[in-house]
Amino acid sequence: MRALRIEDTDAGPRARLTEVALSALTAGDVVIAAHYSSLNYKDAMAVTGAGKIARQRPLNAGIDVAGVVEHSEDARFSAGDPVSVTGWLLSETRDGGLAEYVRVPGDCVTPLPDGLSLWEAMALGTAGFTAAMAIKRLRDNFQSPEHGPMLVTGAGGGVGMFAIEMLAQAGFEPVAVTRRVEALTPQLRTLGAVDVIAPDNLDTGGKPLAGERFGGAIDALGGETLAAVLAHIRQFGNVAAIGLAASPKLEATVLPFILRGVSLLGINSVECPVAWREAIWRDLAGPLKPAHLADIAHETVGLDEVADVCDAIIAGEHTGRTVVAIRR
Ligand SMILES: NC(=O)c1ccc[n+]([C@@H]2O[C@H](COP(=O)([O-])OP(=O)(O)OC[C@H]3O[C@@H](n4cnc5c(N)ncnc54)[C@H](OP(=O)(O)O)[C@@H]3O)[C@@H](O)[C@H]2O)c1
């Protein structure tokens, strides 16, 4: 079978399109014939070697997969069932979804919910799942539209665009934060952004607190941007920290937490509890399913085009989502 496999090279880990025996796949009791995968920031790090994602090598790349059960020793699944796997250490310690077949333990497999096709499940993929998980955690911690507008940083990316449209569909007023204000404003407004601003609009001049302009936030960047976001959140607002596209560091003070009751919510989509996972997929197939899903996931490429898209993601030149068709 064909697979984009991460191998050690003199230049570090790199992915290469190659043939892999089905018997060589990491262990599991469900074999899935992959139809689609998707490209996330983490995939780009794994494929280009910009980040060490695969903790054992060689290993097939791809943190997401949607397909049809080929064979199952787990009684919950039968041949022909449409299913998906997102996260669950795919491409870290388990062979991933950028391959014709994936083998995983049954606990990692989510039945495709009514209302989503296999392509749509991967148009959403980890990015859509993460945006919806962030919204779940925000609401669980009492975030409501009355708190005020919601910042979304990294707005031009997959998680960012989904977060904007899902927040808008849930009744919030998203404010998009992007380095590409001019180029992306029309699309971000179509998704529901009430305003589109550049990251330097949040600059506090190093002060730990600034004007209380926003009810909460979904942050994909980390670093200085996350520190600035925290400084602008109103009393008892929440910030969901989902990413580190700018930096894994956070240099901030505790003042937003203890003087304004602001909460910083961690989002780990990889090992999301199963009960949450199923509820989140139901939301993704229902009220949070983005109305502009096919516009956000604007391209579907083959396995041989994955490397070029990953280069663009690392260069910060990619927008929205790319689906990978495994079988053409
Ligand atoms: N916690 C989790 O479980 C989880 C799940 C999914 C993703 N993530 C993380 O969330 C982040 C976003 O993921 P994604 O798949 O949406 O990635 P993506 O599609 O590549 O989007 C990231 C966006 O961040 C901005 N950006 C990229 N590099 C930047 C830089 N050096 N400085 C400032 N802004 C930069 C860009 O937006 P603009 O050009 O619009 O500014 C870019 O479109 C990544 O860090 C990813 O690892 C975490």
Side-chain angles (χ1 to χ4, degrees):
M1 64 170 213
R2 287 201 322 157
L4 199 65
R5 197 154 173 85
I6 303 164
E7 299 167 335
D8 284 323
T9 72
D10 291 345
R14 294 284 185 282
R16 185 171 70 92
L17 201 51
T18 185
E19 288 290 322
V20 178
L22 194 61
S23 58
L25 290 177
T26 46
D29 40 22
V30 182
V31 176
I32 300 166
H35 286 224
Y36 298 102
S37 183
S38 80
L39 297 178
N40 302 274
Y41 194 83
K42 193 164 160 186
D43 294 307
M45 287 197 285
V47 167
T48 62
K52 283 207 172 85
I53 303 298
R55 283 181 263 149
Q56 62 187 56
R57 296 174 292 276
L59 197 72
N60 294 345
I63 67 171
D64 290 340
V65 69
V68 171
V69 173
E70 177 85 5
H71 170 78
S72 177
E73 285 162 24
D74 183 315
R76 292 171 292 180
F77 301 99
S78 306
D81 288 352
V83 295
S84 71
V85 184
T86 56
W88 284 117
L89 303 176
L90 292 190
S91 177
E92 295 187 54
T93 57
R94 291 188 172 118
D95 280 308
L98 289 165
E100 287 177 335
Y101 291 92
V102 176
R103 182 164 62 189
V104 286
D107 285 348
C108 305
V109 179
T110 304
L112 191 75
D114 289 341
L116 284 185
S117 68
L118 291 174
W119 183 88
E120 287 175 326
M122 285 298 97
L124 289 161
T126 284
F129 184 84
T130 303
M133 185 176 175
I135 291 171
K136 173 180 168 29
R137 293 221 63 200
L138 291 164
R139 283 162 149 174
D140 286 353
N141 212 34
F142 307 106
Q143 190 79 37
S144 72
E146 291 68 41
H147 265 102
M150 300 290 292
L151 286 170
V152 177
T153 65
V159 177
M161 286 197 174
F162 284 140
I164 287 167
E165 185 150 53
M166 290 179 197
L167 281 169
Q169 287 179 195
F172 291 90
E173 293 191 332
V175 173
V177 184
T178 175
R179 302 165 302 172
R180 298 176 278 179
V181 173
E182 207 176 306
L184 296 184
T185 291
Q187 185 178 8
L188 294 171
R189 282 201 178 270
T190 301
L191 298 180
V194 297
D195 201 1
V196 182
I197 62 175
D200 60 11
N201 187 292
L202 298 172
D203 190 16
T204 65
K207 292 189 189 139
L209 290 175
E212 295 182 47
R213 291 164 59 194
F214 305 101
I218 296 178
D219 176 64
L221 302 186
E224 287 175 10
T225 305
L226 177 53
V229 165
L230 286 167
H232 285 286
I233 304 300
R234 291 182 188 156
Q235 290 283 346
F236 292 102
N238 297 284
V239 177
I242 67 108
L244 42 58
S247 171
K249 289 194 179 158
L250 175 58
E251 287 180 27
T253 73
V254 297
L255 294 185
F257 310 130
I258 62 173
L259 295 183
R260 292 184 179 165
V262 169
S263 295
L264 185 58
L265 307 175
I267 305 299
N268 174 7
S269 64
V270 176
E271 289 159 301
C272 173
V274 171
W276 291 13
R277 199 178 273 273
E278 288 173 1
I280 290 167
W281 275 111
R282 278 196 300 276
D283 277 353
L284 284 169
L288 290 188
K289 183 175 179 181
H292 293 90
L293 181 56
D295 298 325
I296 295 171
H298 56 91
E299 63 177 357
T300 300
V301 303
L303 275 175
D304 48 357
E305 296 162 277
V306 166
D308 288 345
V309 179
C310 288
D311 286 342
I313 291 175
I314 295 300
E317 292 162 359
H318 185 257
T319 53
R321 295 274 294 156
T322 296
V323 177
V324 183
I326 305 294
R327 288 153 202 275
R328 290 223 157 185

